[in-house]
Amino acid sequence: MENLKHTKGEWFANNCMVTINGTFNEIAKCHSLSNNNCLSLEEMRANAKLIAAAPDLLEALIEALPAVMELNGEYQEGWDETIIKIENAINKATK
C-alpha cells in the first residue's frame, strides 16, 4: 500500500466525524446539509464508521485479489464476478 495517496494512519469514527490517529484532524464529517433530506443520527454514524474503515477495506481487497484470482484459475471456477467487483472497488478508491 505504499503507492496509495490517501492520508496514512488509523482512521476513527468519532460520532459523525472521521478523524485520524485519535486526534481532531478531520478526514470527513458525515452530516446532512439539506433541510429536505436530513440523515438520521444513526445513518450519519454508520457513514462515519464506513468511511473510517475504508483504508482497511482497501488493503484487504488488494491483498485478497491474487488469492481470489488463483481460486478462479486453479481450484474452482465462478469467481469472475467477484474478481470484477474487487477490481472495480480498488479502482474506485485509487484511480
Side-chain angles (χ1 to χ4, degrees):
M1 293 208 7
E2 294 149 14
N3 296 332
L4 300 177
K5 298 175 185 167
H6 65 269
T7 303
K8 306 292 187 236
E10 194 168 353
W11 293 16
F12 296 93
N14 180 4
N15 203 7
C16 298
M17 182 172 55
V18 180
T19 61
I20 184 165
N21 293 325
T23 67
F24 286 103
N25 293 319
E26 294 177 12
I27 299 294
K29 287 183 181 179
C30 299
H31 58 85
S32 177
L33 297 176
S34 168
N35 290 334
N36 297 333
N37 296 320
C38 289
L39 303 175
S40 69
L41 183 59
E42 180 181 18
E43 188 174 359
M44 290 186 285
R45 286 179 175 161
N47 289 341
K49 288 179 182 180
L50 180 61
I51 293 167
D56 297 328
L57 294 169
L58 177 59
E59 182 177 8
L61 286 173
I62 290 169
E63 290 178 8
L65 182 58
V68 174
M69 292 174 83
E70 188 174 329
L71 279 173
N72 195 44
E74 291 185 28
Y75 304 107
Q76 181 178 345
E77 292 185 15
W79 289 89
D80 294 333
E81 287 182 34
T82 301
I83 290 169
I84 290 169
K85 287 179 183 179
I86 292 171
E87 290 174 334
N88 286 343
I90 291 170
N91 288 335
K92 188 174 185 178
T94 60
K95 305 277 185 211

